Amino acid sequence: MSLESIVLSNDLKELERLGTFLKSLSQPMGMDERTLFQLNLVCDELVTNIILYGHPPDERGRHAIRIDIEVAGDGWELRLTDRGVPFNPLLKSSPRVDLGMDERGIGGLGIHFVRQVMDDIRYERLNEENVLMMIKRRDQKEGIS
């Protein structure tokens, strides 16, 4: 299977369409249920952040978020592209997960989760777009009960 893409508007209602898109690719792209679940959570988190923080609230539904996914080597390559405010999530410091919620403060857990799940993440700002490229390698234990 070659490159597959979806373009979403920056509206939270689009998250359902995103989930349906990923599920439709799971079998043709050879994803097990665990990988599909992880990629769905990663994309959901990142797209939600773009929707909530990438543009002013009065511009909801007026901007595009593109997600490209393809089988690459021993896993899958995902690319999220948006024209929101410049934001490199890799520069965000990891939250102190050893602290309680009151001590830790708000935010950062979603990006921390993305870092934990994905095997490689790179960010670039190209042509006034945020481009986040991620690789998820196939679990070496896949298929073992």
Side-chain angles (χ1 to χ4, degrees):
M1 178 174 248
S2 60
L3 177 73
E4 296 292 331
S5 302
I6 187 170
V7 177
L8 308 169
S9 67
N10 63 324
D11 188 314
L12 292 173
K13 294 175 187 172
E14 291 280 72
L15 296 175
E16 185 175 337
R17 196 162 68 94
L18 172 61
T20 301
F21 168 75
L22 292 171
K23 186 172 180 147
S24 75
L25 297 179
S26 63
Q27 187 176 12
M29 288 193 170
M31 290 177 209
D32 62 16
E33 286 185 34
R34 181 173 187 257
T35 300
L36 172 61
F37 179 76
Q38 290 176 330
L39 293 182
N40 197 16
L41 280 176
V42 163
C43 289
D44 192 276
E45 173 63 28
L46 294 170
V47 169
T48 297
N49 283 348
I50 293 167
I51 292 168
L52 295 179
Y53 308 114
H55 302 279
D58 63 335
E59 293 182 11
R60 292 259 158 77
R62 293 197 272 168
H63 299 279
I65 303 165
R66 180 182 172 108
I67 300 171
D68 301 308
I69 183 169
E70 65 184 321
V71 176
D74 63 345
W76 303 269
E77 188 172 308
L78 282 82
R79 184 173 53 244
L80 272 73
T81 307
D82 73 274
R83 288 179 122 8
V85 295
F87 178 68
N88 181 348
L90 303 179
L91 296 179
K92 181 116 174 99
S93 60
S94 294
R96 295 274 315 267
V97 293
D98 58 324
L99 298 176
M101 286 179 58
D102 293 338
E103 300 169 292
R104 184 175 57 236
I106 296 172
L109 284 177
I111 292 170
H112 176 71
F113 169 76
V114 171
R115 286 180 176 149
Q116 297 301 308
V117 169
M118 301 308 285
D119 295 300
D120 185 39
I121 306 172
R122 290 170 285 138
Y123 169 85
E124 293 180 320
R125 181 77 180 175
L126 296 170
N127 302 318
E128 298 185 31
E129 292 182 320
N130 295 302
V131 181
L132 190 63
M133 296 153 287
M134 300 171 286
I135 293 175
K136 175 68 177 161
R137 290 188 192 89
R138 192 175 301 276
D139 187 352
Q140 297 304 314
K141 299 177 209 168
E142 191 174 301
I144 298 173
S145 302

